[in-house]
Amino acid sequence: MARGLSRADISDDILSRWRELEARSLEGNAYLSPHFVMPAARHLNPDADLVFVLVSRSGDSGDELCGLGVFERRHGDRHFPLPYWRAYKSRHSFLTGILVDARFPEAVLDACFAFLKQERLAIDFPECLAEGKLADHLRQAAARGGWLWESRYEINRAFMVPDRCGDSYIDATVSPKSRKRLRSQANRLAQQGEMSWQLSRGEDPDCVERLLELEHMGWKGEEGTSLRAGSGDEAFFRAMVAGFSGERRIFFTELRVGGEVIASTVNLISGKRGFAFKMGWNPAFAPFSPSILNVLELTRQAGTELAELELVDSGAGEGSFVDKLWEGRYTVAAGAFRHASLPGPVLGGIRFLRQLRDRLR
């Protein structure tokens, strides 16, 4: 059974069952965690018309939450000129999708698509995984329900597998020229003071403050896009960190020189997957590439520090420096499902408007 709720309907009981669902979902997704969605909705998108689609089944101890998707009701725009629903994506989200209980993927997605068919003409998914178990089940459920997928674009995103990492992994993935340059930068940086690196689990107030400060120091601060640049963004971040920290599903990495932290990252955990979220560095040390050296050390030690994770999603775009460090790749797509029963004249009007838009561009 699937039903739609507003944000005002999300009770503490639903939040508890949501957390349990995330832990047993087919694929982890930190950006669909209640620890992420609820602070983001409150502080980043307070006026968004959100719909929480819950799929439940009856069990011995009552209804059990087996699937959950968060969508935003949208009016027509350049992607779709008619009203539609869009998978929720805040400005700090790097992946959308649906949480699906690994035990019942077919039943959950069939119920979800059946519910969505009653509500809107199209369901938009920006930045969703286009491969893997969830993507396969989504395509199969869509085909069963008469939905068609229309892709706007696809990109490759880097990830790492911790149990494959270490010095030999770095030697195999980073070119000799790049390794030589990084060693030179590390040696020159060490001349500024003793170097050290640390990974910290859970909430450390000092780590939080240093990350916020370092991220704001760089170009994001100058452009007004850092977490500290907006009160809503910083409030979201602090609330989000507190939620993940309560379950020890967050970790920071820090690179120090002479006792001073010059580069930092914050990373989230959902299920058996990690998600690189934000990073910052001190621009005064930019000639030494401190942020790259920080991620390089994480790559070197991930097999020990993150042994329980099956992979860590970089969240980075194509061409980033992480592409040169992490060899894993999967496809992230943006597109929409529309139902095949959409009347022909409506589809023709949509195509005409898109063609007109393209000509005007």
Side-chain angles (χ1 to χ4, degrees):
M1 177 186 71
R3 56 185 175 137
L5 301 178
S6 70
R7 68 174 78 191
D9 298 322
I10 304 301
S11 63
D12 289 341
D13 176 61
I14 291 175
L15 289 173
S16 176
R17 290 189 286 145
W18 185 350
R19 290 191 293 270
E20 294 172 357
L21 170 63
E22 183 190 358
R24 62 175 187 272
S25 62
L26 189 63
E27 292 177 351
N29 187 341
Y31 305 105
L32 284 176
S33 171
H35 298 313
F36 190 98
V37 173
M38 299 310 290
R42 183 183 315 117
H43 297 290
L44 304 178
N45 307 104
D47 300 322
D49 187 3
L50 299 184
V51 182
F52 297 77
V53 177
L54 279 63
V55 180
S56 304
R57 64 185 288 271
S58 297
D60 296 335
S61 57
D63 286 346
E64 183 179 27
L65 186 61
C66 300
L68 186 142
V70 185
F71 300 90
E72 181 182 358
R73 290 189 180 94
R74 311 261 304 190
H75 300 295
D77 56 27
R78 63 189 181 89
H79 297 314
F80 202 81
L82 298 174
Y84 68 99
W85 282 11
R86 180 178 185 260
Y88 177 65
K89 183 179 184 298
S90 76
R91 57 180 171 270
H92 296 301
S93 303
F94 300 115
L95 196 66
T96 66
I98 300 175
L99 289 182
V100 175
D101 194 313
R103 299 170 297 172
F104 321 108
E106 294 87 358
V108 168
L109 290 172
D110 285 346
C112 190
F113 274 119
F115 173 84
L116 293 171
K117 179 183 176 182
Q118 303 172 21
E119 297 295 327
R120 284 294 181 269
L121 300 173
I123 313 299
D124 187 61
F125 283 90
E127 288 196 58
C128 64
L129 286 182
E131 56 188 83
K133 293 179 180 179
L134 178 58
D136 290 343
H137 281 294
L138 268 171
R139 282 191 290 266
Q140 294 164 13
R144 289 193 297 269
W147 293 80
L148 305 175
W149 171 256
E150 295 184 348
S151 178
R152 292 196 298 278
Y153 65 82
E154 293 184 349
I155 61 172
N156 290 319
R157 178 175 291 175
F159 67 88
M160 74 163 175
V161 178
D163 67 5
R164 297 178 188 171
C165 290
D167 288 321
S168 59
Y169 175 90
I170 293 172
D171 290 342
T173 58
V174 182
S175 69
K177 181 178 180 180
S178 294
R179 293 202 306 273
K180 181 179 179 180
R181 175 176 53 80
L182 290 170
R183 280 196 301 269
S184 174
Q185 289 174 319
N187 291 335
R188 289 189 290 117
L189 184 58
Q191 296 174 7
Q192 308 295 312
E194 182 181 0
M195 288 178 57
S196 63
W197 182 87
Q198 182 177 351
L199 184 147
S200 303
R201 299 256 185 172
E203 183 177 11
D204 182 329
D206 293 334
C207 287
V208 172
E209 296 304 325
R210 286 191 291 262
L211 184 284
L212 287 168
E213 180 181 1
L214 289 169
E215 192 213 22
H216 190 64
M217 281 183 178
W219 60 269
K220 287 189 176 182
E222 295 174 357
E223 293 184 356
T225 59
S226 69
L227 290 165
R228 183 152 277 175
S231 59
D233 297 77
E234 183 169 348
F236 149 73
F237 180 71
R238 292 183 182 279
M240 184 271 296
V241 168
F244 278 97
S245 295
E247 298 175 3
R248 292 186 61 79
R249 294 200 287 122
I250 194 167
F251 63 93
F252 293 82
T253 70
E254 293 183 327
L255 179 68
R256 286 181 170 84
V257 172
E260 177 187 357
V261 175
I262 64 170
S264 173
T265 72
V266 57
N267 312 265
L268 312 175
I269 296 174
S270 180
K272 293 186 177 181
R273 296 192 173 188
F275 297 84
F277 183 54
K278 297 289 183 180
M279 62 175 57
W281 61 92
N282 188 331
F285 293 87
F288 308 105
S289 301
S291 195
I292 298 178
L293 294 177
N294 186 17
V295 176
L296 182 68
E297 194 59 31
L298 171 63
T299 308
R300 192 187 316 280
Q301 301 197 34
T304 301
E305 296 283 359
L306 305 174
E308 80 279 13
L309 300 182
E310 63 182 18
L311 64 83
V312 178
D313 181 332
S314 69
E318 293 180 337
S320 70
F321 74 83
V322 180
D323 276 354
K324 300 176 182 179
L325 297 180
W326 296 357
E327 65 174 357
R329 295 290 185 276
Y330 50 42
T331 304
V332 175
F337 287 105
R338 65 165 179 81
H339 200 265
S341 63
L342 196 62
V346 174
L347 288 178
I350 292 172
R351 295 190 189 101
F352 170 77
L353 290 172
R354 285 177 172 168
Q355 292 169 0
L356 179 60
R357 175 200 66 193
D358 294 339
R359 290 195 192 100
L360 291 174
R361 285 179 176 174

